[in-house]
Every structure is written in C-alpha cells, then in structure tokens.
Amino acid sequence: MAAPRDNVTLLFKLYCLAVMTLMAAVYTIALRYTRTSDKELYFSTTAVCITEVIKLLLSVGILAKETGSLGRFKASLRENVLGSPKELLKLSVPSLVYAVQNNMAFLALSNLDAAVYQVTYQLKIPCTALCTVLMLNRTLSKLQWVSVFMLCAGVTLVQWKPAQATKVVFLQVLVASTLLSWLSTQTTS
C-alpha cells in the first residue's frame, strides 16, 4: 500500500471540503424530494443495498488497481477477507449498524425537513468522538473538544425553533459543522 502524501496543498483540502459539503447538501435535498413527492415511493432498503453494492465494486476496483496484478489481487482478497474470518465477523457488526442507520435516514427524511434532518444528522460526530474516548481510550485535543461542543450548540440552536430554520441557517450550520469536523481531523493527522 502506498504511503500517504504529506504535500497536499491547502487549496486542494479546501476544494475537497467544498465538494463534500455540496454533496452532503445535494444528497439530503434530493433524498428529501424523492421521499416526499406524490409519485410512488421506492423501497429505501433497495436504495441502500444498491449504494452498498456500488461501494463494494468501487472498493474492489481500487484494490485491483493498487495490487497491480490478478495474482496479487487474489492473494490480497484471500489473506484479508477469507483468511481472517474473525476480523470479517468484527467488521460485520458496524456494517449492519450502518445499514440500519442508512435505512433510518430514509425514514427521517420522509418525515422531517431537510434542514432539520441535516443539522441533527451532524450529531453523529459528537457521538463518534465520545465513543472514541470511552471505548478506544483515545484523547481529544482542546480544539477537538471545542469543535464538538460548538457543533452540539449549533444543533441545539437550530432545534430550538425548527420551524424557523431557514435555508440560510441550514447552509451556515452545515458549512460550519463540516469545517469543524475537518479541523478536528486535521489536528490528529
């Protein structure tokens, strides 16, 4: 596996941040639109399953490109997937939780405004931070803790009067939470 590059420019990082923010916003709005239209609804489980199959195919494609040859690709699959059934079983637990989470996202977007959903969805970041500290015995820097508390405060402010959560507030909180998340990951790398 190739070593990570340390020479990534700030401009490229900001570009990635902007693209990820735009993708999150467009995904939520498009999903909300398709779940509340008058047309016949699709099964959310099918959408989640298709998404996961696409991710699997992309992952296998990336692994095939990284290994370079069919023999090394097969050996890597044999060693890392078939040769480690215990590790595969460990990975299946978060995978199942993730599948349930994605199905719940469809349910939530069928019943909530896109702005309220997106801002509330950001609570996964403090939950992850808390689990990292409690379960993995990791420590967070002061900047990371401040980021987590600011994110919680932002979610609380939006939820205080969700009927008044405008698109501007939605975009401000979305950009701020994405930026805070990015900043907190940059301090650990």
Side-chain angles (χ1 to χ4, degrees):
M1 193 156 106
R5 286 191 209 156
D6 291 332
N7 59 352
V8 178
T9 65
L10 178 64
L11 184 63
F12 181 72
K13 289 180 180 182
L14 290 174
Y15 167 75
C16 291
L17 176 66
V19 169
M20 290 172 59
T21 303
L22 183 66
M23 280 179 26
V26 169
Y27 171 79
T28 302
I29 292 168
L31 193 58
R32 168 77 177 153
Y33 174 76
T34 61
R35 297 304 292 174
T36 57
S37 66
D38 293 334
K39 298 177 184 175
E40 187 175 334
L41 290 179
Y42 53 89
F43 290 117
S44 61
T45 51
T46 304
V48 170
C49 186
I50 289 172
T51 302
E52 295 305 316
V53 167
I54 290 170
K55 287 181 195 177
L56 175 68
L57 293 175
L58 287 172
S59 299
V60 167
I62 290 170
L63 179 63
K65 186 178 183 319
E66 279 187 7
T67 54
S69 72
L70 185 61
R72 283 187 283 190
F73 172 71
K74 286 180 180 178
S76 178
L77 279 179
R78 200 174 312 115
E79 176 186 339
N80 296 313
V81 178
L82 301 175
S84 311
K86 193 173 183 179
E87 294 299 317
L88 190 61
L89 187 61
K90 287 180 189 176
L91 286 175
S92 67
V93 174
S95 299
L96 289 173
V97 172
Y98 186 69
V100 170
Q101 173 194 347
N102 284 339
N103 282 299
M104 296 305 287
F106 277 87
L107 179 66
L109 274 169
S110 299
N111 298 302
L112 294 172
D113 287 336
V116 173
Y117 165 80
Q118 187 63 39
V119 171
T120 307
Y121 188 69
Q122 296 306 316
L123 286 175
K124 68 181 179 185
I125 296 167
C127 290
T128 303
L130 202 58
C131 288
T132 300
V133 169
L134 296 176
M135 294 180 181
L136 301 177
N137 295 324
R138 299 230 175 122
T139 58
L140 296 181
S141 69
K142 288 181 183 179
L143 177 63
Q144 290 171 323
W145 279 115
V146 168
S147 300
V148 166
F149 287 120
M150 285 179 65
L151 180 60
C152 290
V155 170
T156 303
L157 287 174
V158 170
Q159 291 298 327
W160 199 288
K161 294 183 181 176
Q164 297 175 357
T166 63
K167 293 175 185 171
V168 174
V169 171
F170 161 65
L171 289 175
Q172 288 173 341
V173 172
L174 178 64
V175 169
S177 64
T178 307
L179 183 60
L180 287 171
S181 303
W182 178 71
L183 281 173
S184 65
T185 59
Q186 294 305 306
T187 60
T188 57
S189 2

